[in-house]
Amino acid sequence: SAPQSLVSRKRREFIGMPAPPGYVPGVGRGATGFTTRSDIGPAREADDAPDERHMPPPKKPAHDDDEKGEDENLNDANYDEFSGYGGSLCTRDPYEKDDEEADRIYSSVDDRMDERRREHRERRFREEMEKFRKERPKIQQQFVDLKRDLALVSEDEWLSLPEVGDARNKRQRNPRAEKFTPAPDSLLAKGLSAGQTTAQVDLREQLQGGIATPWGGASTSSAGGADIDMKKIGQARTSLMDIKLTQAADSVTGQTVVDPMGYLTDLNSVIPQHGADINDVKKARLLLKSVRESNLKHPPAWIASARLEELTGKMQEARNLIMRGAEECPRSEDIWMEASRLIPADQARAVVAQGINHLPQSVRLWVRAAELESEPKRKRRVFRKALEQVPSSVRLWKLAVELEEPEDARVMLRRAVECCPTSVDLWLALAKLETYETARSVLNQARDNVPTDRLIWITAAKLEEAHKNLPMVGKIIDRAVAALQVAGVEINRDLWLKDAEECESSGSMETARAIVRTVVGHGIDEPDRKRQWLTDAEGFTAREAFECARAVYAKLIAAFPAKKSVWLAAAHFEKNHGTREALESLLVNAVSKCPTAEALWLMGAKSKWLADDIPGARYILANAFKANPNSEEIWLAAVRLESENNDFERARKLLLRARNQASTARVWMKSARLEWCLGELEQAKALLNEGLRAYPQFDKMWMMLGQIAEQEDNVEAARAAYNEGIQRCRQSVPLWLLLARLEMGQGQATRARSILERARVNNPACRSSGWKPSAPN
């Protein structure tokens, strides 16, 4: 800064003034001046005008203080078509009372004239502003539709938006953390000793002459003040912490608020009120504040702000925000609902009542008002008031009816169907409360008012079934499908079948069967019927809708009476989920339609056998012999039946007939096995030898022949049987194993091992799969 002497020095008078004529800069310092033509100008006569280049500028004429600033303002902005340029001719004249009265009169006249056309002028101004806003809307108005679309943004889409970049510089974005370094105890002790006075001289001072400087440049201190007692410092810190914890105790009741022993443990167990970062909460709070201030009439901004404060644990702040939002947006239903949720229960009634005053047609507010009431009587009163305001609300009628007794509910439902004639639920509820005849009339009225709903027809069918009028059930369902098709309603097969399941679960079996019979074939092409119906039956069975599945099988049997697979599927269903009588009745019809289906005959015979009806089983098998004289399965089933009932002679005769009429390897094997079980070994060996001559490739008879020889302790005959069987049936693994075990039993382990190696060579599939047979000891 400049020195004070230069600042306070008096300003020279010639500074800023023009130079005098003939002035030569620096002439006092010895400078030599010279003059050119440009300095003196052209030649002139004595009477020419003087040279005014170096003359001082002309001074403005002096004016009085009253005349300053009175120059005329001739700017266009100061011009008026009526009064000309601004200003007054009487500015210099004194302003008296008469002038004041005149100005007041003229002002009143102007106000009066202004009132006459004010409405027209204001309307015109508004129209012009609206036109101007349409042509040049504000930025806020340009994004109104986009703001409205924000309501459709899901939470995941909102969270996936990128964060706004931080425009601050690097130092502001990353503030340097403040570092606090604790002072060491030695520094504290040094400062403590610096201000103390010593009243005694220690031994070192006496030896070194009092105040002599110690070796190594160490500071002089007393023995008692220089030593640091760390134990005492730790005790002091503990005492300080104890004092602070004691201050946190309740001085009135004497109960300690803070547990000194478990203080740190309690700090670790504190659960935060929200999981978000505090910086994110601040950003969200700032953003929502900006949204609220930019548009005070935007309800979602207030709701979001209140929920944010609720999330952070500031319930009172959330309540204050939502109530301010209710004041700004009293026509918003969502705000009042949110307020009723945040406000305590004892105050929520008043809040909901205030909301209903602004929105008397809001069904949600009325329902909320009823929820806040604890007594049923008060709830009924609220719903009745609500129905006076909103008589067309189906939800209010349903909730009100649920609280009434049956008689009162019937009266309310009659009124409800008058106010809401298109509500199917109300019609059905009324029909359930009425008598049979009245219910039929109610359902007829419901069909007239709602001709496109299938549930009314299904309810009518249930009503007839409940009153044992079963023939009408099928007719009603058939009529329903026809009437709905005439009304242009698409018959959704899946929905109807689902309704059939619901009917079965509610106990209306005949209605469920009628629906399945009528609808199961709707919309299915002829080539796909069998496959689709079998799929439907399996689905019904899996969902335990057995009557519906039985109806589908009945439809299948009627459509495909000669299909063995259909009868088998139906028989297995009745076997697993039906009764024995139903199964036997079904099988009787099945064998009449498919007499060559052996499985159906056998299922019928087994059912009779399990029911201890042996004559009935024999009768079925006898009929099966007539229909299938060469069926091995039927012959063997008959033999098994007689064997299980210990009638071996009949079994021998059946096997003899079977060997003559349906000779197969299994028949010969079963014949030999029967004799073997009865102890007739010779007869069994004879049958096996005869059967092997006819069927030498059947390995089981070779195995039986060898096992019978082993039973007779004829090892050579058994070995010969096994070896011959292996020559005939090299791929029979059991034969190789039996031969190896036979050798192991005779102590021929090497031979057994060789047999197993040969078996592995002849059965590469077993070798590749890791087959490792081992003979027993």
Side-chain angles (χ1 to χ4, degrees):
S1 60
Q4 186 67 24
S5 60
L6 295 178
V7 175
S8 62
R9 184 179 296 175
K10 185 177 181 183
R11 182 182 178 86
R12 302 292 183 178
E13 296 179 356
F14 58 83
I15 294 178
M17 297 177 64
Y23 171 72
V24 178
V27 69
R29 300 189 301 272
T32 304
F34 57 91
T35 304
T36 62
R37 186 171 293 277
S38 62
D39 294 328
I40 63 176
R44 56 182 179 273
E45 299 293 336
D47 56 351
D48 288 343
D51 185 8
E52 297 179 354
R53 288 181 302 158
H54 300 286
M55 295 294 291
K59 295 183 179 180
K60 293 183 181 181
H63 296 283
D64 298 336
D65 295 338
D66 297 338
E67 296 178 357
K68 290 182 179 180
E70 290 184 1
D71 294 338
E72 289 186 273
N73 186 1
L74 302 180
N75 193 357
D76 292 340
N78 199 30
Y79 178 77
D80 185 71
E81 295 181 358
F82 177 76
S83 58
Y85 287 99
S88 175
L89 298 175
C90 303
T91 304
R92 302 179 181 179
D93 297 337
Y95 188 75
E96 300 177 351
K97 293 183 178 181
D98 296 338
D99 299 330
E100 182 182 357
E101 184 179 359
D103 289 342
R104 187 171 59 254
I105 293 172
Y106 278 112
S107 178
S108 63
V109 172
D110 291 340
D111 294 341
R112 177 63 178 172
M113 294 298 293
D114 185 64
E115 286 289 339
R116 294 176 60 182
R117 302 290 292 173
R118 174 175 294 178
E119 294 182 0
H120 173 71
R121 185 172 62 257
E122 291 179 352
R123 183 170 64 254
R124 181 179 177 184
F125 176 75
R126 286 195 300 270
E127 293 175 355
E128 292 178 353
M129 287 301 295
E130 291 177 0
K131 182 178 180 182
F132 176 76
R133 291 303 182 193
K134 289 181 181 179
E135 295 176 354
R136 299 177 61 185
K138 295 181 180 179
I139 296 179
Q140 180 180 0
Q141 295 175 351
Q142 293 178 6
F143 293 97
V144 168
D145 54 341
L146 299 179
K147 289 182 179 180
R148 190 179 300 113
D149 293 340
L150 287 177
L152 305 178
V153 177
S154 64
E155 184 177 357
D156 295 336
E157 293 174 346
W158 180 264
L159 293 177
S160 63
L161 293 178
E163 292 290 339
V164 180
D166 198 342
R168 298 177 299 172
N169 56 30
K170 183 177 181 180
R171 180 175 298 178
Q172 292 175 339
R173 289 197 307 269
N174 302 316
R176 190 173 181 182
E178 296 183 4
K179 296 183 179 179
F180 299 95
T181 303
D185 296 335
S186 59
L187 181 62
L188 298 177
K190 183 178 179 181
L192 180 63
S193 62
Q196 291 182 349
T197 59
T198 305
Q200 60 183 355
V201 180
D202 60 359
L203 180 61
R204 185 173 57 180
E205 289 179 349
Q206 294 177 4
L207 294 176
Q208 296 178 0
I211 58 173
T213 303
W215 298 305
S219 59
T220 305
S221 60
S222 62
D227 294 338
I228 301 172
D229 193 349
M230 302 301 297
K231 183 177 179 181
K232 292 184 178 180
I233 293 177
Q235 292 176 354
R237 289 178 177 175
T238 304
S239 302
L240 182 61
M241 177 62 73
D242 184 58
I243 292 172
K244 291 183 178 180
L245 294 175
T246 305
Q247 291 175 354
D250 188 357
S251 60
V252 178
T253 60
Q255 297 178 355
T256 303
V257 178
V258 180
D259 181 14
M261 301 301 296
Y263 183 70
L264 296 179
T265 305
D266 294 340
L267 288 179
N268 292 330
S269 63
V270 173
I271 300 176
Q273 294 295 327
H274 58 89
D277 189 2
I278 189 66
N279 293 326
D280 296 338
V281 173
K282 290 181 179 179
K283 286 182 181 179
R285 187 178 288 120
L286 184 60
L287 177 62
L288 292 173
K289 181 180 179 182
S290 176
V291 174
R292 293 197 310 270
E293 292 177 352
S294 61
N295 186 4
L296 293 175
K297 304 299 181 181
H298 188 55
W302 295 101
I303 295 175
S305 301
R307 289 183 178 176
L308 176 63
E309 300 301 334
E310 180 189 10
L311 181 65
T312 57
K314 299 181 179 180
M315 289 301 300
Q316 189 58 42
E317 183 66 21
R319 292 163 183 165
N320 295 338
L321 279 172
I322 200 65
M323 292 310 298
R324 284 179 55 199
E327 294 175 2
E328 295 291 344
C329 310
R331 307 293 297 177
S332 173
E333 183 182 48
D334 294 333
I335 278 193
W336 290 110
M337 291 297 296
E338 189 70 14
S340 66
R341 185 182 69 84
L342 294 175
I343 299 298
D346 54 346
Q347 303 174 10
R349 293 192 188 94
V351 172
V352 174
Q354 188 178 357
I356 291 174
N357 291 334
H358 289 91
L359 298 169
Q361 301 295 321
S362 174
V363 177
R364 293 173 60 195
L365 287 177
W366 283 108
V367 173
R368 179 59 177 165
E371 291 175 354
L372 293 174
E373 300 293 343
S374 57
E375 299 180 4
K377 183 177 180 181
R378 292 179 176 272
K379 290 179 180 288
R380 287 195 292 268
R381 187 183 305 168
V382 170
F383 281 126
R384 288 175 182 176
K385 290 182 180 180
L387 291 172
E388 293 177 1
Q389 297 291 333
V390 197
S392 60
S393 174
V394 178
R395 182 184 179 187
L396 289 177
W397 281 109
K398 289 181 180 180
L399 294 174
V401 168
E402 289 177 357
L403 297 174
E404 300 292 341
E405 298 295 332
E407 291 299 327
D408 297 334
R410 186 184 296 113
V411 175
M412 290 193 70
L413 284 172
R414 289 173 183 170
R415 176 59 180 166
V417 296
E418 294 177 3
C419 297
C420 307
T422 59
S423 175
V424 178
D425 295 337
L426 295 178
W427 283 107
L428 298 181
L430 179 59
K432 290 180 181 179
L433 295 177
E434 297 289 354
T435 59
Y436 174 60
E437 296 297 332
T438 310
R440 296 179 66 180
S441 176
V442 168
L443 291 175
N444 289 332
Q445 295 178 17
R447 284 199 297 267
D448 295 338
N449 286 278
V450 192
T452 59
D453 195 277
R454 69 184 187 281
L455 296 179
I456 299 175
W457 293 93
I458 295 175
T459 305
K462 288 182 180 180
L463 179 66
E464 299 297 336
E465 181 180 359
H467 290 82
K468 307 303 180 183
N469 193 2
L470 300 182
M472 284 296 298
V473 175
K475 295 180 181 179
I476 290 175
I477 298 300
D478 294 337
R479 221 179 294 166
V481 174
L484 291 175
Q485 287 179 336
V486 171
V489 179
E490 180 184 359
I491 304 300
N492 192 323
R493 180 175 175 274
D494 295 335
L495 290 179
W496 280 87
L497 294 180
K498 189 174 181 180
D499 292 336
E501 290 185 38
E502 294 177 357
C503 291
E504 181 178 350
S505 61
S506 64
S508 301
M509 304 299 180
E510 186 63 29
T511 304
R513 288 191 286 265
I515 292 175
V516 172
R517 285 196 302 267
T518 306
V519 182
V520 73
H522 187 80
I524 303 297
D525 297 333
E526 181 115 3
D528 300 333
R529 287 190 304 168
K530 178 184 173 184
R531 177 184 57 79
Q532 183 62 45
W533 288 352
L534 285 174
T535 303
D536 293 336
E538 292 173 359
F540 282 131
T541 304
R543 294 188 293 272
E544 298 184 357
F546 301 131
E547 287 300 323
C548 295
R550 190 172 285 109
V552 174
Y553 282 122
K555 189 75 174 180
L556 271 168
I557 290 171
F560 305 99
K563 291 289 184 179
K564 172 185 173 183
S565 59
V566 172
W567 287 105
L568 283 175
H572 283 297
F573 171 78
E574 292 296 343
K575 178 182 177 182
N576 297 325
H577 306 287
T579 60
R580 184 177 66 84
E581 291 77 9
L583 174 62
E584 293 176 356
S585 175
L586 177 69
L587 290 173
V588 169
N589 295 329
V591 296
S592 65
K593 299 294 183 182
C594 301
T596 59
E598 300 173 1
L600 296 175
W601 289 105
L602 295 177
M603 288 182 69
K606 187 175 183 179
S607 177
K608 293 288 187 180
W609 177 28
L610 294 176
D612 295 330
D613 187 0
I614 305 301
R618 288 171 179 167
Y619 177 76
I620 292 176
L621 290 175
N623 292 332
F625 288 143
K626 296 178 182 178
N628 303 277
N630 298 323
S631 174
E632 175 189 284
E633 295 293 338
I634 294 177
W635 283 107
L636 295 180
V639 171
R640 183 181 179 185
L641 174 65
E642 301 301 339
S643 300
E644 294 291 340
N645 289 279
N646 300 323
D647 195 346
F648 301 113
E649 290 300 326
R650 186 186 290 271
R652 283 195 178 103
K653 292 180 181 179
L654 287 174
L655 286 171
L656 179 61
R657 291 176 56 190
R659 291 196 299 272
N660 295 330
Q661 297 183 12
S663 178
T664 62
R666 288 187 65 201
V667 170
W668 285 99
M669 184 193 69
K670 292 292 183 182
S671 301
R673 182 172 181 78
L674 177 63
E675 298 297 337
W676 186 11
C677 292
L678 294 177
E680 303 290 339
L681 299 182
E682 296 297 330
Q683 184 67 23
K685 287 192 290 183
L687 288 173
L688 286 172
N689 289 324
E690 187 176 356
L692 286 172
R693 285 193 294 271
Y695 305 99
Q697 305 297 328
F698 194 68
D699 58 341
K700 289 186 178 180
M701 284 195 289
W702 292 109
M703 286 187 279
M704 290 175 63
L705 186 61
Q707 288 171 341
I708 291 175
E710 286 189 49
Q711 184 176 349
E712 293 176 344
D713 295 329
N714 192 348
V715 177
E716 293 298 330
R719 183 181 292 114
Y722 291 146
N723 283 322
E724 189 174 356
I726 287 173
Q727 295 298 325
R728 303 278 187 176
C729 312
R730 290 185 175 275
Q731 306 300 322
S732 176
V733 175
L735 266 175
W736 290 100
L737 292 176
L738 286 173
L739 179 58
R741 288 169 182 167
L742 176 64
E743 299 299 342
M744 286 295 297
Q746 298 299 319
Q748 302 292 332
T750 304
R751 184 179 296 179
R753 189 178 297 109
S754 175
I755 291 170
L756 292 176
E757 291 296 331
R758 288 167 54 200
R760 295 180 63 183
V761 172
N762 286 276
N763 295 274
C766 294
R767 181 177 58 184
S768 61
S769 62
W771 172 60
K772 296 180 180 179
S774 60
N777 295 326

